[in-house]
Amino acid sequence: MDKLFLARLQFASTLTYHFWFVSLTLGLSIFIALMETIYVCTGRKKFKTMAKFWGKLFLINYTVGILTGLVQEFEFGMNWAEFSRFVGYVFSSFS
């Protein structure tokens, strides 16, 4: 295997995980907010328990999304240096 193929494989796997975990996190945030709202309105403990359970999974997904996003920043900088110089302030979290 050559280095270019391995770099592309690494970027593809990072991008795939980032896409799925960020999408799942956005969906879970709405779901957890709904569970909390139902709990506040009805007072049923079942919804509070559900919100706590999904909240723990939300934190794990959020963390993985941040980590894959940081790895992507470095991959953009190393693999597409000229492109990153042109659009660096858009992609980077360091303004």
Side-chain angles (χ1 to χ4, degrees):
M1 290 191 197
D2 65 340
K3 294 175 186 175
L4 180 62
F5 176 74
L6 291 174
R8 287 179 176 170
L9 185 65
Q10 179 187 12
F11 185 73
S13 64
T14 305
L15 188 65
T16 301
Y17 283 118
H18 185 70
F19 176 79
W20 287 109
F21 278 103
V22 170
S23 301
L24 185 59
T25 301
L26 291 173
L28 274 176
S29 63
I30 296 169
F31 183 69
I32 293 168
L34 182 66
M35 292 298 113
E36 287 285 340
T37 304
I38 293 172
Y39 167 69
V40 170
C41 291
T42 63
R44 294 171 59 187
K45 298 285 186 188
K46 175 175 74 170
F47 290 103
K48 183 177 183 178
T49 306
M50 287 173 62
K52 282 185 176 183
F53 172 76
W54 289 108
K56 291 175 187 175
L57 292 178
F58 174 83
L59 289 175
I60 294 169
N61 285 331
Y62 187 76
T63 304
V64 172
I66 287 176
L67 292 176
T68 55
L70 288 173
V71 171
Q72 270 185 306
E73 267 187 55
F74 288 109
E75 287 175 349
F76 273 123
M78 290 186 295
N79 296 337
W80 294 288
E82 195 61 39
F83 179 68
S84 293
R85 230 182 322 276
F86 185 70
V87 295
Y89 289 111
V90 176
F91 284 146
S92 176
S93 61
F94 310 110
S95 298

